Amino acid sequence: MTPQMIEMTLDEFIHASHLPSDTLRRMIEAGILDPHADTAGDWRFEFQMVFTARRALRLHRELEIDWSGIALALDLLDELEQLRYENRMLRQRLGRFTDG
Amino acid sequence: MEFKDYYKVLGVAADADKPTIKNAYRKLARKYHPDVSSESNAEAQFKEVAEAYEVLKDAQKRAEYDELKRYGRHGKTFEPPPDWQPSSGFGDSGHTTFSGDFSDFFESIFGGAQQRQQPYSGTERGFERRGHDIELDLPVFLEDTLSEESMPVSFEVTEPGANGQLTRRKKHLNVKIPAGVGDGERIRLKGQGAPGTGGGPGGDLYLRIRLVPHPLFDVEGHNLVITVPLAPWEAALGAKIEVPTLTGRIHLTIPAQSQTGQRLRVKGKGLVGKGHKGDLFAVLKVMMPPGSDDKIRQQWQQLAESASFDPRAEWSKR
């Protein structure tokens, strides 16, 4: 079984994310999702955006954050995750240097 | 069933007004929301908070809850009164804030999940319904990322059986891990999630790649890093040593006058990148031999007398 790495069309994305179209529009306007246009001018979504959209939706409903606030929060959360990952890797490598 | 004190969960008084309740919820939600929190039990905590808010924000539900609270206080365990009718179902707001499951306690008062709207599952048509997506963590060894072979993946799905009852079934798949996939990346298997009902399509299966930490190699993008211990004389005089890679041992030439922390690049011995192969970096670490006998100590002594090396020369400049 070979996974699909290809991008999703608008229909596929709506199908996979269950987003109502006005919510989708708001997320794109706020820059939470940034699909790109293919050569025919149709939208293409990376499938990882399904998870971004779900996370954004949870934050919107459960923390009552507006869309531009969510865009900022997601950026910062990504950065935080990245820094934590780097920190973990650096600590691990430092450990190999100082132990033994 | 234990009676849940929603006021206590939100840390507000029993006569708190709406803005106070909202404020308390927001503060706790920011603290415990699983998407933003790093607290260890965030998810369970958030569930409690969300459930409490679900009830207390809604005037009708809150009134019902208050009534039960008076009734249920006497005993230690709680059972709804035999004639209890969940009247509101979903209250004045028409939708729930929280998208997860509520506790048994909540459902015994306000009705079960089936009464709730499923706000964002837009693909239902009649009884035809798309299956749920399934998300799994897939631990992958570094060696596996180089292999052409498929990896076995098993998971459980719930599907309606012949009699309409939901049954659990183990599903087994062999999945080809795409070259160049990194830690935390997801891969998507279309239609391989939970089966749909009434002829609806299956949900998707998402596998989140988790690279298993390796005892020797650290990952840096598509490159690998290995720490190479050297004896002081190997660092001083140079050496030819054997170094393990993911695909077997190789010979590596250590130049004379090498330093701790120096990186030597072994081309193409890293992970498979998208389109190119990563490299292996050997980071040198000069190690002192453990305790030495008199003869060795004499030789160090000779070295100390003949070498004019001041490792702290930088300090004396100031």
Side-chain angles (χ1 to χ4, degrees):
Chain A
M1 175 131 320
T2 308
Q4 296 196 323
M5 297 300 275
I6 50 163
E7 295 169 322
M8 292 176 167
T9 63
L10 179 60
D11 277 353
E12 282 174 327
F13 186 79
I14 288 175
H15 206 77
S17 66
H18 307 310
L19 282 190
S21 58
D22 66 317
T23 309
L24 177 62
R25 188 175 49 76
R26 280 164 195 272
M27 284 192 192
I28 293 173
E29 278 170 3
I32 295 167
L33 302 175
D34 54 345
H36 67 89
D38 65 9
T39 45
D42 292 325
W43 273 351
R44 295 277 161 180
F45 294 78
E46 277 177 40
F47 78 84
Q48 311 266 356
M49 285 182 198
V50 171
F51 293 88
T52 312
R54 285 183 190 165
R55 203 174 183 197
L57 200 57
R58 284 196 298 269
L59 292 173
H60 181 65
R61 292 167 61 200
E62 296 167 5
L63 291 186
E64 303 177 338
I65 311 178
D66 66 24
W67 296 113
S68 58
I70 288 171
L72 176 67
L74 289 178
D75 280 353
L76 294 175
L77 285 169
D78 279 351
E79 204 178 316
L80 188 65
E81 194 180 337
Q82 181 64 31
L83 289 173
R84 282 197 178 127
Y85 177 78
E86 265 177 46
N87 190 37
R88 207 167 59 238
M89 297 312 283
L90 289 172
R91 273 171 189 277
Q92 189 176 321
R93 285 175 48 194
L94 185 65
R96 293 192 198 272
F97 245 81
T98 48
D99 299 345
Chain B
M1 198 176 344
E2 204 185 327
F3 190 87
K4 280 180 191 268
D5 189 337
Y6 289 144
Y7 292 100
K8 215 168 142 189
V9 170
L10 291 186
V12 295
D15 60 353
D17 59 6
K18 258 188 145 172
T20 308
I21 288 170
K22 190 169 186 161
N23 210 342
Y25 166 74
R26 284 186 164 176
K27 270 192 189 144
L28 290 167
R30 274 204 305 278
K31 185 167 177 202
Y32 291 119
H33 196 281
D35 283 315
V36 298
S37 176
S38 53
E39 307 261 342
S40 56
N41 57 346
E43 194 158 354
Q45 291 270 20
F46 179 70
K47 242 173 127 164
E48 290 256 289
V49 169
E51 183 174 311
Y53 183 56
E54 193 61 44
V55 173
L56 299 187
K57 74 169 180 179
D58 180 312
Q60 198 178 344
K61 275 206 210 101
R62 185 177 174 183
E64 287 177 33
Y65 171 78
D66 286 345
E67 198 187 320
L68 278 175
K69 197 172 173 224
R70 281 189 291 276
Y71 164 90
R73 266 227 171 125
H74 312 297
K76 276 212 158 64
T77 59
F78 169 78
E79 284 298 327
D83 56 343
W84 179 256
Q85 289 280 329
S87 60
S88 56
F90 270 76
D92 49 18
S93 62
H95 73 276
T96 60
T97 305
F98 179 49
S99 44
D101 295 325
F102 292 115
S103 68
D104 292 347
F105 171 73
F106 179 98
E107 303 212 330
S108 75
I109 306 179
F110 299 108
Q114 66 276 9
Q115 284 174 277
R116 233 182 299 162
Q117 296 181 36
Q118 293 277 327
Y120 291 108
S121 45
T123 50
E124 290 167 47
R125 281 188 302 275
F127 292 110
E128 183 187 322
R129 188 165 165 174
R130 183 178 180 272
H132 289 289
D133 292 344
I134 293 180
E135 207 191 335
L136 293 176
D137 274 2
L138 182 65
V140 175
F141 290 104
L142 294 185
E143 289 85 350
D144 292 337
T145 64
L146 299 182
S147 151
E148 293 287 305
E149 275 169 49
S150 294
M151 280 187 66
V153 177
S154 7
F155 54 100
E156 238 178 29
V157 292
T158 358
E159 61 181 357
N163 54 3
Q165 290 258 313
L166 287 179
T167 53
R168 285 169 174 277
R169 179 168 68 90
K170 268 237 156 175
K171 212 171 155 176
H172 304 274
L173 293 176
N174 278 312
V175 180
K176 173 98 189 62
I177 306 299
V181 48
D183 191 51
E185 264 185 70
R186 292 186 181 87
I187 57 179
R188 173 182 181 230
L189 294 155
K190 200 177 170 183
Q192 294 296 333
T197 47
D204 297 335
L205 172 66
Y206 291 94
L207 298 173
R208 190 165 193 177
I209 303 294
R210 291 288 175 209
L211 292 182
V212 180
H214 194 282
L216 295 179
F217 303 107
D218 295 321
V219 179
E220 225 182 49
H222 292 124
N223 298 327
L224 291 176
V225 181
I226 186 170
T227 305
V228 179
L230 291 179
W233 45 90
E234 287 176 323
L237 307 172
K240 267 196 191 309
I241 59 165
E242 274 198 355
V243 174
T245 73
L246 276 184
T247 51
R249 294 178 160 258
I250 54 144
H251 291 278
L252 184 65
T253 306
I254 309 294
Q257 303 295 332
S258 287
Q259 272 294 2
T260 283
Q262 205 174 317
R263 286 159 74 106
L264 303 178
R265 186 163 80 138
V266 185
K267 241 188 142 192
K269 289 290 178 188
L271 299 175
V272 182
K274 284 169 180 131
H276 69 287
K277 274 205 95 174
D279 303 326
L280 172 68
F281 286 93
V283 182
L284 306 183
K285 175 189 179 187
V286 179
M287 293 185 78
M288 284 303 293
S292 44
D293 57 31
D294 279 353
K295 199 177 147 216
I296 302 283
R297 227 191 15 254
Q298 263 176 27
Q299 284 172 319
W300 282 118
Q301 189 62 46
Q302 281 172 19
L303 188 59
E305 281 157 17
S306 57
S308 59
F309 171 49
D310 178 7
R312 292 169 298 280
E314 276 291 300
W315 294 0
S316 49
K317 277 188 203 154
R318 341 202 139 191

